[in-house]
Amino acid sequence: MTMPDDLIIQTIAPTTHNLGDFKVYRSLPAKERTMVGPFIFFDQAGPAKFGPGEGIDVRPHPHINLATVTYMYEGAFQHRDSLGSNQLIEPGAINLMTAGKGIVHSERSPDDERARASKLSAIQTWIALPDALEEMDPAFEHVPEDALPVLDYGGAHARVIMGALWGQQAPVTTYAQTIYADIMLRPGGAIPIEPEADERAIYVSGGDAALDGVPLKAQTLYVLRPGTRATLYSVDGGRVMLCGGEAFKTPRHVWWNFVSSRQDRLMQAREDWDAMRFPLIPGDDQEFIPIPQGRPKTVSYP
Ligand code: MN
């Protein structure tokens, strides 16, 4: 049997943030690690419960040089962006928003959810764009639940969100080699984790799960040793995300909602948002999230 140290090379506990009514667990970027494959931001939001008349309003804000990947567990978001996209996202579907040279978007509770008591639970990730694509034209892609392949095997129900896993290919655009899956394990369920990508990580969103005899903590990101195989299983049932892809050869810097290989590009984006030089969102151009006040502090990880 594989020893834990041979299999798990890094264990990243999340930082938690209270965003108004709901809690966010952030595993990436972390002090000890910026990226796993192209994934540079990994957030679990919620679960949160809302009474009638309540909901979430992530007001218009900009991104550059990255793509955001929104995946709902429960509830829904209405996505709007400066390309004119206006898309409801519901559990099992994926929204891939590519910022490239710059985009502005908002995510708000849909009116019908807001009218009644509702729930919200989601995984929000950002993927860095390869050097040559950082300044590409922005794009938006919605892939519905029924277009994503599902593997039902060994008491596991696994949805391939990006890339190729267990012999199935997701139809979602990727810019660097990427793997991403939502694995629902029934009690006693098990699924193999293969070395499909150089950099891989496992994240337990809820319930219980273990990897080759090593119990995994919830809301913790486990980075796996390249080339290793293991069996992921659950005694009582659990939900796990698998993410990763090719290692980036050039480092990325993160400041606020911006990601770039160049620090001066981050500061340019900051000035551009402050001066309202980004495009507006048709139908949602009255509000915005301002640049954080104070000295610009570039969060830069080696
Ligand atoms: Mn955003």
Side-chain angles (χ1 to χ4, degrees), residues 61 63 68 105 107:
H61 61 277
H63 291 285
T68 64
H105 76 139
E107 288 161 312

Side-chain angles (χ1 to χ4, degrees), residues 6-136:
D6 292 336
L7 186 58
I8 295 164
I9 56 174
Q10 227 166 3
T11 301
I12 301 172
T15 55
T16 57
H17 303 263
N18 284 306
L19 296 186
D21 300 319
F22 72 109
K23 206 168 194 181
V24 169
Y25 301 89
R26 181 160 304 157
S27 307
L28 291 176
K31 280 203 174 64
E32 58 268 48
R33 192 178 183 108
T34 314
M35 301 172 75
V36 177
F39 289 84
I40 192 160
F41 181 95
F42 193 104
D43 257 15
Q44 180 176 8
K49 291 181 179 178
F50 300 105
E54 296 175 348
I56 292 279
D57 285 289
V58 184
R59 294 167 292 155
H61 61 277
H63 291 285
I64 60 155
N65 291 189
L66 56 76
T68 64
V69 183
T70 304
Y71 185 75
M72 311 299 294
Y73 282 157
E74 292 183 289
F77 261 144
Q78 191 72 37
H79 162 95
R80 289 185 186 83
D81 65 40
S82 49
L83 297 171
S85 316
N86 188 355
Q87 177 68 52
L88 179 71
I89 182 166
E90 294 178 292
I94 179 174
N95 274 3
L96 174 71
M97 184 189 77
T98 306
K101 65 188 177 191
I103 200 165
V104 177
H105 76 139
S106 63
E107 288 161 312
R108 298 176 184 271
S109 297
D111 291 343
D112 59 335
E113 294 252 327
R114 210 183 285 262
R116 54 174 170 76
S118 63
K119 287 196 236 183
L120 188 96
S121 174
I123 299 285
Q124 175 78 54
T125 57
W126 299 351
I127 52 179
L129 297 175
D131 293 8
L133 296 175
E134 282 189 307
E135 298 294 335
M136 67 180 278

Side-chain angles (χ1 to χ4, degrees), residues 141-220:
E141 185 172 307
H142 174 83
V143 179
E145 178 183 11
D146 62 10
L148 295 173
V150 166
L151 175 87
D152 265 302
Y153 171 85
H157 182 82
R159 181 175 292 124
V160 183
I161 302 171
M162 298 179 88
L165 287 162
W166 307 291
Q168 314 229 35
Q169 173 77 48
V172 177
T173 297
T174 55
Y175 300 106
Q177 194 228 341
T178 306
I179 55 166
Y180 193 25
D182 174 18
I183 305 168
M184 288 155 274
L185 295 163
R186 287 185 276 274
I191 194 167
I193 302 296
E194 303 284 344
E196 287 99 348
D198 245 17
E199 298 191 344
R200 295 167 297 162
I202 293 269
Y203 179 88
V204 183
S205 308
D208 82 86
L211 199 60
D212 271 10
V214 183
L216 305 176
K217 290 194 194 97
Q219 281 81 46
T220 303

